[in-house]
Amino acid sequence: MADNPFADPLRFERRAPACAIVIFGANGDLTKRKLMPALYRLAYERRIPPTFAVLGNSRTAMSDEDFRAKMRESVEKFLEDSPFDAGLWESFERNLFYIAGDLQDHAMYEKLSGRLDELQQSHQTGGNVLFYLSTQPSYYAPVVDCLGAVGLNHGDGWRRVIIEKPFGHDLTTARKLNDDIHKVFAENHVYRIDHYLGKETVQNILAFRFGNGIFEPLWNRRYINHVQITAGESIGVEGRGAYYQEAGALRDMIQNHLMQVMATIGMEPSAVFEADAVRDERAKFLRSIRPMKPADVGRYAVAGQYGAARIGTEDVPGFRQESGVDPNSQTDTYAAVTFFVDNWRWAGVPFYLRSGKRLPKRITDIAIFFNSAPHSVFADGTLQDVSRPNLLIIRIQPEEGISLRFLSKQPGSGMRLRPVSMDFNYGASFGERSPTAYETLLLDAMIGDPTLYTRQDMVEASWIAVQPILDAWASTKFGFPNYAAGTWGPQASDDMLARQGHHWRVP
Amino acid sequence: MPAAVQPERILKDLAKLWIDLAKPDTEKNASGVIRACAMTLIVGLEQREDTQEVGLTIAELIHEHPSRAIVLRVDPSDGGTLDARVFAQCWMPFGKRQQICCEEIEISTPVSRLADVPKLMLALTVPDLPVVLWARSPRLALDSEFQQLFTLATKIIIDSARFDDQEAAYRFVKSSNDAGRNVIDLAWTRLTPLRQLVAQAFENSGQVRRVVLSYSGTGARYLETWFRKAVPQAEVITTQENQVRVVLEGAAGSVSITLEDATSATVTMNDMSRRVALPERNEQSLLREELSIVGPDPIFRRILE
């Protein structure tokens, strides 16, 4: 709204311009659970204009009315932290349309083009179209190719495409996918979504680091000993066994989500808070990750797979017993990696990343371990805990916040020290509802702000970092399962840290 | 918890309050409490004003804007004595194990002792954090003794809609801002959703040639000036209708916005109408918006020029 004489950035929330959103895979889980509730919520908060249009596509034959009924059911079911307003829905659903058809059928795209022309007139979308590829990854390139073939990649307004992860299955396929997409859409029209970057607390890392003067001087190898990033899930594969079997924890979580979080922790400050300036710094950091030599993979990366166990009163199956999973599967449901970053700021500082299914709890956090005091004046052999380093914890989910652990004197005579925690709790300081990651990211794409989207070079840099591990694991026969459901992963993961003189923090 | 009205004594009572709250001696606070504070919020009231309503408003506000709330209750009949008490407002966020607590100080004073209050407040505001003064009572806002508190405040909030003489309210807001104070009128805040719809409608109307608006109260004056400053080339016509309504006539067509009720509006662009939900504009929501903006509002300042 830069040229809008009525703009009031102090009071008005950011708003999307008039546009149409085409969702491929509109009958899928992501649309039902995340996209439609996010769009409804954006409409509820008046972030999208009353005349926006959504055009859903899938193979299932449905009328506009059927699609609206289905979406209503999903929104009522999956809307988070906010009420469902039936009156608003009536207005909202009039902007929902549906077109059935096969993703590889050119005729479907011709029809789509016709519907978009109609919507441009009836809904004054200005010819702006956002294509959302919420399909199986194997369709990404064919869909983009078809869009180009019928000329939907350009029009009266802007044309952008959002692509869900995974961006390739490895470095080679990621490069091929990027090449295929770039034949139709220029890089600045491609929005690769990594919903972790849309989370409020991940964005807050930038505010914390670059909005405050006191932390940045400490944010380097002189003061930071190592960094641990944990993303644990207590659930198993929940019916996604067939998909997960092809992905695994390293591809599903570490290569994308956790490496982007790591880049947010480790990147240099950008000169300005603008999309390419921020993404340049993230990309530079990812490119600085030291590629692992094949011989080092066993030392710096650990694969795990959960076995059956009893958790509480529930018997949970092992991964190989899950529906759709090969009984001899070699898929990693747990991965832990040590990365080193070859730049002046981080030389010698290990970044430990781990992610797994069926861990004791659902948690995502970042623990920054500072070096211990160089000399402890209290270490007379009678006092406890004097060697505990300061620890900064950035909690991403489920409870967002930041804690700083430091030592304090216990009350009473004598000099007994005890670790205490200074907490910032997001919920306590900002009671207002945080937008979901999909609300933030969809709005950004409509506005044309790609700051929180990943760029081609970032994707390739993170594949380059994990590719040696994937290659080594592909030729390894693991003795799975190697950890019981409900535990913090295999012993080898603890050993990996122990070799560096560290141990995993219990989140 | 009655206390002698000396700043030191009140601060000691506050310290004791937190020590008591931190004791995990009951099942209710077994996990302790989180102390939250992002500002000092001073509320100026007259004794006759609805205590319960204001209490509820503060209790709701501190969920989003944790603060040390100081409620100053002035008795215009000059009855009673200067008195103070402290207590905590605690709540348990959904799904969490720890309570979050904010402190509240309630000071009652006869109008004859109002001059003693500024020094008291000087000691009671939280250091290094903004001080927001909400002068809920129109009479207090215009009282010269009460105005001594303005020097402490980062921001002063009044609501001209509560004034019998709205012209006097407008003059007060304008002269205070002219004098360099950051005074905001909730009549302006009330306009935000409508102004936001106008900004959005502009994208469909193109260059504005004519604005027709129907609104009442001090807000009408603000709204009209806002249009005149934003689109000086356009003709601005005010009408008196039963409904709040704004019509933008532009090069690309006409857009009308009609408020249907407190929480919805109809936006009509050429032949197409859509219902839009609006946020409820009660006292709480207006204050919530203002507490999010501690610094001056340049657009409001501009329309007062």
Side-chain angles (χ1 to χ4, degrees):
Chain A
M1 290 206 293
D3 302 325
N4 188 328
F6 300 111
D8 186 347
L10 197 63
R11 289 177 188 269
F12 298 173
E13 300 282 6
R14 293 186 318 151
R15 283 165 179 274
C19 65
I21 303 164
V22 178
I23 302 176
F24 296 106
N27 200 26
D29 242 21
L30 182 74
T31 306
K32 291 176 193 166
R33 286 173 180 268
K34 300 290 182 190
L35 302 184
M36 205 49 75
L39 287 169
Y40 170 80
R41 185 66 211 185
L42 289 172
Y44 184 86
E45 292 187 345
R46 302 165 306 284
R47 304 286 196 95
I48 47 182
T51 55
F52 79 101
V54 174
L55 186 48
N57 160 265
S58 79
R59 267 184 301 199
T60 312
M62 260 192 288
S63 65
D64 287 346
E65 286 68 33
D66 294 339
F67 180 60
R68 289 167 183 169
K70 202 166 230 185
M71 291 302 112
R72 176 179 180 143
E73 199 179 301
S74 305
V75 170
E76 284 190 81
K77 188 172 174 187
F78 296 114
L79 194 61
E80 290 173 23
D81 307 330
S82 64
F84 179 81
D85 179 336
L88 175 67
W89 177 265
E90 279 177 26
S91 191
F92 177 84
E93 73 169 9
R94 277 188 273 158
N95 297 322
L96 305 187
F97 304 92
Y98 183 79
I99 182 167
D102 191 288
L103 289 172
Q104 305 203 65
D105 175 10
H106 275 239
M108 190 277 286
Y109 293 88
E110 297 288 358
K111 274 198 286 181
L112 176 65
S113 179
R115 291 293 296 266
L116 285 171
D117 286 344
E118 286 167 24
L119 289 172
Q120 184 173 345
Q121 295 307 314
S122 62
H123 281 61
Q124 299 180 333
T125 60
N128 299 323
V129 186
L130 179 64
F131 298 103
Y132 199 116
L133 272 59
S134 174
T135 66
Q136 285 181 24
S138 56
Y139 284 112
Y140 293 165
V143 170
V144 168
D145 181 56
C146 290
L147 290 173
V150 296
L152 277 169
N153 54 335
H154 51 77
D156 293 340
W158 48 256
R159 302 290 158 110
R160 298 176 189 140
V161 60
I162 297 185
I163 299 173
E164 269 289 334
K165 68 151 197 168
F167 318 115
H169 190 68
D170 51 26
L171 179 60
T172 309
T173 52
R175 282 182 170 152
K176 170 81 169 64
L177 178 62
N178 279 326
D179 289 346
D180 289 343
I181 292 168
H182 288 158
K183 285 177 192 157
V184 179
F185 289 100
E187 176 61 26
N188 61 342
H189 297 145
V190 181
Y191 288 67
R192 295 175 196 81
I193 197 164
D194 185 324
H195 74 270
Y196 260 58
L197 290 180
K199 288 177 183 285
E200 285 282 313
T201 33
V202 175
Q203 295 176 64
N204 190 41
I205 294 170
L206 296 176
F208 180 79
R209 285 190 59 198
F210 305 136
N212 296 294
I214 60 170
F215 301 108
E216 201 51 27
L218 308 178
W219 215 259
N220 58 52
R221 62 188 301 275
R222 270 188 84 186
Y223 300 100
I224 292 180
N225 184 275
H226 69 281
V227 178
Q228 296 183 10
I229 303 177
T230 300
E233 289 179 75
S234 56
I235 57 171
V237 290
E238 306 289 299
R240 291 168 66 230
Y243 159 75
Y244 195 82
Q245 186 167 243
E246 298 305 315
L250 185 64
R251 281 190 176 93
D252 193 47
M253 291 294 293
I254 292 185
Q255 180 273 332
N256 39 67
H257 300 322
L258 297 200
M259 291 191 75
Q260 291 302 328
V261 170
M262 178 186 167
T264 311
I265 288 289
M267 64 188 262
E268 296 297 317
S270 59
V272 287
F273 191 68
E274 286 173 4
D276 272 333
V278 174
R279 298 197 299 175
D280 284 348
E281 297 304 337
R282 277 209 177 97
K284 266 198 273 182
F285 175 87
L286 291 167
R287 282 198 298 270
S288 305
I289 295 173
R290 185 190 304 163
M292 250 177 244
K293 294 189 181 95
D296 290 338
V297 171
R299 183 176 170 80
Y300 294 123
V302 173
Q305 189 189 86
Y306 63 87
R310 188 169 180 80
I311 301 175
T313 55
E314 189 193 1
D315 286 317
V316 301
F319 178 65
R320 289 174 174 180
Q321 287 83 54
E322 299 270 12
S323 153
V325 174
D326 176 355
N328 298 308
S329 171
Q330 287 286 306
T331 300
D332 51 305
T333 61
Y334 175 98
V337 184
T338 307
F339 286 118
F340 289 94
V341 180
D342 288 337
N343 63 21
W344 275 51
R345 186 188 282 264
W346 296 115
V349 177
F351 283 76
Y352 300 116
L353 277 59
R354 65 174 162 171
S355 177
K357 292 209 173 278
R358 286 274 185 225
L359 299 188
K361 60 179 171 183
R362 174 177 169 258
I363 182 103
T364 303
D365 68 16
I366 303 151
I368 292 154
F369 287 74
F370 288 88
N371 286 324
S372 299
H375 167 67
S376 179
V377 296
F378 306 111
D380 68 354
T382 62
L383 307 171
Q384 296 176 339
D385 283 324
V386 291
S387 62
R388 285 211 185 180
N390 295 122
L391 183 58
L392 181 74
I393 310 290
I394 299 171
R395 299 186 303 273
I396 295 174
Q397 62 185 16
E399 288 199 18
E400 302 92 342
I402 297 173
S403 301
L404 180 65
R405 188 181 73 183
F406 56 93
L407 292 178
S408 175
K409 180 187 173 298
Q410 282 196 48
S413 62
M415 185 55 81
R416 284 181 179 278
L417 305 190
R418 199 182 75 178
V420 292
S421 179
M422 194 156 70
D423 284 323
F424 156 68
N425 181 308
Y426 231 76
S429 294
F430 305 101
E432 48 193 279
R433 174 189 177 275
S434 295
T436 64
Y438 278 94
E439 285 169 46
T440 303
L441 293 168
L442 276 168
L443 187 65
D444 281 357
M446 288 186 257
I447 289 170
D449 178 357
T451 310
L452 300 176
Y453 284 86
T454 50
R455 213 170 48 188
Q456 177 193 2
D457 52 348
M458 295 158 72
V459 172
E460 290 189 7
S462 55
W463 277 120
I464 288 169
V466 300
Q467 192 61 51
I469 308 171
L470 291 171
D471 292 342
W473 286 2
S475 57
T476 304
K477 179 134 178 72
F478 292 106
F480 287 159
N482 59 354
Y483 72 99
T487 66
W488 281 109
Q491 178 61 39
S493 180
D494 296 336
D495 296 344
M496 178 178 81
L497 266 70
R499 284 194 289 273
Q500 303 282 339
H502 299 138
H503 62 271
W504 284 113
R505 174 182 152 264
V506 178
Chain B
M1 193 187 290
V5 186
Q6 290 162 351
E8 286 300 319
R9 180 67 186 268
I10 295 172
L11 291 170
K12 267 187 190 164
D13 285 345
L14 280 177
K16 184 173 179 307
L17 180 76
W18 286 108
I19 290 168
D20 290 346
L21 282 169
K23 283 180 189 161
D25 55 356
T26 64
E27 198 177 315
K28 205 175 168 188
N29 69 352
S31 299
V33 298
I34 297 174
R35 180 183 189 174
C37 185
M39 66 177 69
T40 302
L41 173 63
I42 303 173
V43 185
L45 299 173
E46 284 187 90
Q47 198 73 43
R48 63 179 179 211
E49 289 183 78
D50 188 338
T51 314
Q52 202 178 4
E53 187 189 340
V54 176
L56 283 174
T57 300
I58 294 171
E60 284 295 323
L61 280 176
I62 59 173
H63 288 202
E64 282 187 29
H65 300 283
S67 54
R68 174 181 288 177
I70 307 176
V71 178
L72 173 64
R73 194 175 293 282
V74 180
D75 185 352
S77 69
D78 215 12
T81 54
L82 186 60
D83 197 7
R85 68 182 189 113
V86 302
F87 54 98
Q89 290 264 15
C90 297
W91 68 99
M92 183 83 82
F94 180 74
K96 308 286 160 110
R97 286 171 51 226
Q98 278 188 309
Q99 288 192 93
I100 299 174
C101 295
C102 289
E103 55 206 11
E104 196 167 324
I105 304 168
E106 195 173 277
I107 299 171
S108 308
T109 181
V111 71
S112 59
R113 301 285 304 276
L114 197 53
D116 296 339
V117 171
K119 278 197 186 109
L120 195 61
M121 292 290 186
L122 197 58
L124 296 180
T125 56
V126 183
D128 310 316
L129 290 175
V131 177
V132 178
L133 173 57
W134 171 27
R136 190 175 191 267
S137 152
R139 204 193 63 76
L140 280 183
L142 301 175
D143 185 298
S144 59
E145 299 285 8
F146 184 81
Q147 286 180 357
Q148 299 302 311
L149 293 175
F150 288 4
T151 54
L152 296 176
T154 321
K155 176 171 187 165
I156 299 149
I157 301 170
I158 67 133
D159 186 357
S160 62
R162 297 178 68 87
F163 283 62
D164 292 332
D165 182 351
Q166 299 206 355
E167 186 55 36
Y170 177 80
R171 279 198 308 273
F172 165 71
V173 172
K174 181 168 167 40
S175 61
S176 301
N177 275 284
D178 287 348
R181 295 215 165 90
N182 179 16
V183 179
I184 202 88
D185 182 354
L186 294 182
W188 167 247
T189 321
R190 243 173 232 112
L191 295 171
T192 303
L194 180 62
R195 292 194 304 119
Q196 197 157 3
L197 285 176
V198 168
Q200 212 167 345
F202 171 78
E203 285 162 24
N204 294 86
S205 71
Q207 194 184 21
V208 179
R209 292 174 182 157
R210 200 156 85 121
V211 179
V212 182
L213 68 96
S214 164
Y215 202 89
S216 58
T218 321
R221 186 174 196 162
Y222 294 142
L223 195 59
E224 183 185 345
T225 317
W226 180 62
F227 275 114
R228 291 193 190 284
K229 300 262 181 185
V231 281
Q233 79 286 355
E235 181 187 9
V236 179
I237 299 167
T238 56
T239 64
Q240 292 298 322
E241 294 175 28
N242 291 333
Q243 272 183 310
V244 172
R245 202 164 122 85
V246 173
V247 181
L248 296 186
E249 292 172 12
S254 154
V255 183
S256 87
I257 300 159
T258 308
L259 297 199
E260 301 296 345
D261 52 47
T263 58
S264 72
T266 299
V267 179
T268 306
M269 295 179 193
N270 300 326
D271 297 332
M272 194 169 55
S273 288
R274 285 287 182 271
R275 179 177 168 265
V276 183
L278 298 176
E280 208 176 338
R281 296 268 86 183
N282 55 23
E283 200 167 48
Q284 277 167 29
S285 72
L286 297 173
L287 286 161
R288 201 178 295 134
E289 181 176 327
E290 287 310 327
L291 296 187
S292 316
I293 308 164
V294 176
D297 176 343
I299 296 181
F300 185 59
R301 286 239 162 129
R302 205 151 65 89
I303 65 168
L304 291 173
E305 282 168 4

